[in-house]
Amino acid sequence: LFTKKRDVTELPLLERAKQELTNVTIAKDLPKDIKSQLTMSNLTENDLAILRVLIPEVKTNAESIVSNFYVNLENEESLRKIISNNSTVDRLRITLEKHISEMFDGKIDKQYVEARHRIAVIHARIGLEPKWYLSSFQDLLNSFFAVIDASSLVAGDKVIAINCIAKILNFEQQLVLE
Ligand code: HEM
């Protein structure tokens, strides 16, 4: 009658994440609001450890995630103009790939937050409207869904993985759209 609750420690993803716990940090000296945002989002060091386990999966697919991102952006004429007036897709591919790899690195500190505030200022300066900024984040989430779905993780682990990715992507949005 009752489904036995699965012991989460059996999950390979979480087993591997435990081994990554020593490599992750949420800095103690973050601004008060940022700490509260992390608490409200329930984004914890456990999540950062899980994200670190996903690094190989993300690395393997980074090129296609990033290419897809710009193909998608260029469908919107106004965004195509912003890019050609300010940069090139080839240059942006490199910066976005670096940015994505930092999201999985397992370290949220003042530097991480400040770097994102600078990126927000850059995007505001080029006139990127929040609605496009947000849709492009959804594009990234869509790509991550596809990558995790195609991975060899068991179904339960896929849900855990996607939850962590959604949390870090939402945190990124909190930092750049404030
Ligand atoms: C620059 C990330 C969305 C256009 C950058 C940089 C990063 C970045 C890391 C480099 C900043 C630096 O020079 O230090 C992201 C992320 C996005 C996003 C994570 C959302 C998920 C967009 C969108 C556009 C865009 C939707 C559409 C036009 C640009 C341009 C630059 C830039 C033109 C170069 C600005 C300059 O060098 O003056 N972005 N971006 N970005 N981004 Fe984005």
Side-chain angles (χ1 to χ4, degrees):
L1 202 60
F2 299 102
T3 320
K4 184 171 173 274
K5 207 169 178 186
R6 190 168 179 190
D7 178 4
V8 286
T9 56
E10 283 168 20
L11 294 172
L13 177 63
L14 294 184
E15 279 302 318
R16 284 181 281 158
K18 268 192 213 156
Q19 294 161 7
E20 288 293 341
L21 271 176
T22 50
N23 301 320
V24 302
T25 2
I26 293 180
K28 299 278 175 284
D29 62 350
L30 287 170
K32 191 171 144 287
D33 273 6
I34 299 283
K35 281 193 201 162
S36 296
Q37 284 163 245
L38 289 168
T39 305
M40 195 177 284
S41 310
N42 193 22
L43 175 51
T44 65
E45 290 188 341
N46 285 332
D47 297 313
L48 297 186
I50 291 166
L51 290 171
R52 278 188 65 85
V53 176
L54 301 175
I55 289 174
E57 214 65 63
V58 173
K59 276 227 167 91
T60 312
N61 295 286
E63 226 181 285
S64 55
I65 294 173
V66 169
S67 299
N68 184 64
F69 184 87
Y70 292 106
V71 168
N72 199 7
L73 283 197
E74 297 218 309
N75 286 324
E76 168 54 38
E77 180 59 26
S78 64
L79 299 181
R80 204 200 319 237
K81 274 199 191 126
I82 292 180
I83 291 175
S84 65
N85 289 341
N86 295 280
S87 189
T88 65
V89 168
D90 281 346
R91 257 177 43 205
L92 292 180
R93 269 204 205 105
I94 298 166
T95 47
L96 183 61
E97 197 167 328
K98 177 171 165 278
H99 190 87
I100 290 173
S101 83
E102 287 169 11
M103 286 168 36
F104 288 82
D105 218 30
K107 193 170 181 187
I108 297 178
D109 55 10
K110 273 187 171 163
Q111 228 185 323
Y112 186 95
V113 171
E114 281 160 14
R116 271 126 196 95
H117 285 157
R118 276 196 301 277
I119 291 167
V121 171
I122 289 171
H123 286 113
R125 202 188 58 212
I126 62 173
L128 177 62
E129 291 176 71
K131 63 182 177 192
W132 301 122
Y133 213 159
L134 283 175
S135 3
S136 74
F137 271 104
Q138 183 60 40
D139 172 79
L140 282 185
L141 183 59
N142 293 344
S143 291
F144 285 125
F145 260 114
V147 165
I148 296 301
D149 194 31
S151 73
S152 60
L153 292 172
V154 298
D157 283 0
K158 286 181 182 174
V159 176
I160 294 170
I162 280 297
N163 189 18
C164 292
I165 295 173
K167 284 187 198 180
I168 194 79
L169 270 177
N170 183 269
F171 181 58
E172 293 276 324
Q173 292 163 63
Q174 292 172 38
L175 296 177
V176 294
L177 290 168
E178 100 173 67

